[in-house]
Amino acid sequence: MIVAIDGYSSSGKSTLAKDLAKILGFIYVDTGAMYRAIALYFLTNEIDLSDEKLVQDSLDNITVSFENKDGENCVTLNGQDVSKEIRTLEVSQIVSEVAAIPAVRKKLVAIQQSLATKSLVMDGRDIGTVVFPNAEYKFFIIADVGERSRRRYVELISKGQEVSYAEVEENLKHRDHIDTTRAMSPLRQAEDAVCIDTTKVTREEQLALAIKAIESKQL
Ligand code: DC
């Protein structure tokens, strides 16, 4: 069984995905972390994103794997755990450009689909529309950009990163634009997805809304 959760950056989708996975006893898969791992590789190796051949050759040399250790996502890039390194603003600044490259999406969608041998809660931008269009349950998570920026800013500061609120807000708006307008599988709500606006709801309330939607579909 698959629960697909799509939505904007910092909308609360990964919090909901983790909470639902815990309650349902499913594995949580954060697909954004996979795009971030590839972005980290391109950043570290100074790959020119406009050089299609170089990008494809690099992808052929990259192994991204995903493990779920005690409910925590662990993403490895060529065998190295990069779970922490992928969370910087530098990676956030190029990840949407990287995720718009068709060859990158092709590689990661195949990996994501191969994980479906177990019940999953998977979050991302195209899970209910492209990766698992037949998912049993689909959610689309939205929230005001101001509230999303505030959440992301607090998160980065609490991790000791030196960022300003303005930088974080600009980055979110930039990513929203690229994620929703790219040619290949742009972020959009699947027709059969339940939309939850998390701007004014608590973590517990958003979980309750999702569980209610799941229960009402089962009746
Ligand atoms: O969820 P996140 O902010 O960690 O995702 C990072 C970027 O990856 C986001 O800007 C868009 C992209 N992404 C995507 O295009 N498709 C997915 N399934 C997941 C993430």
Side-chain angles (χ1 to χ4, degrees), residues 3 5 12-23 26-29 121-123 206-207:
V3 180
I5 304 184
K13 61 185 183 325
S14 62
T15 304
L16 175 62
K18 276 185 210 160
D19 288 348
L20 271 181
K22 203 167 171 193
I23 284 192
F26 290 7
I27 289 173
Y28 163 53
V29 181
V121 178
M122 186 176 275
D123 80 4
Q206 74 178 20
L207 177 62

Side-chain angles (χ1 to χ4, degrees), residues 13 31-32 35-36 95-96 99 105 124-126 175 179 182:
K13 61 185 183 325
T31 61
Y35 287 93
R36 286 172 177 274
V95 67
S96 287
R105 303 204 70 80
R125 304 293 188 291
D126 59 343
R175 287 205 280 148
D179 294 346
R182 67 178 175 230

Side-chain angles (χ1 to χ4, degrees), residues 46-91:
E46 297 179 8
I47 303 296
D48 175 0
L49 300 185
S50 63
D51 185 337
E52 274 182 40
K53 182 169 177 339
L54 183 60
V55 165
Q56 186 58 60
D57 288 349
S58 307
L59 285 174
D60 292 341
N61 290 317
I62 298 177
T63 311
V64 175
S65 65
F66 170 86
E67 258 179 76
N68 190 280
K69 287 186 192 156
D70 306 324
E72 285 301 313
N73 275 269
C74 170
V75 177
T76 61
L77 175 64
N78 292 338
Q80 250 201 322
D81 182 355
V82 290
S83 310
K84 276 210 179 85
E85 292 82 345
I86 59 172
R87 299 289 162 199
T88 63
L89 193 59
E90 286 73 32
V91 171

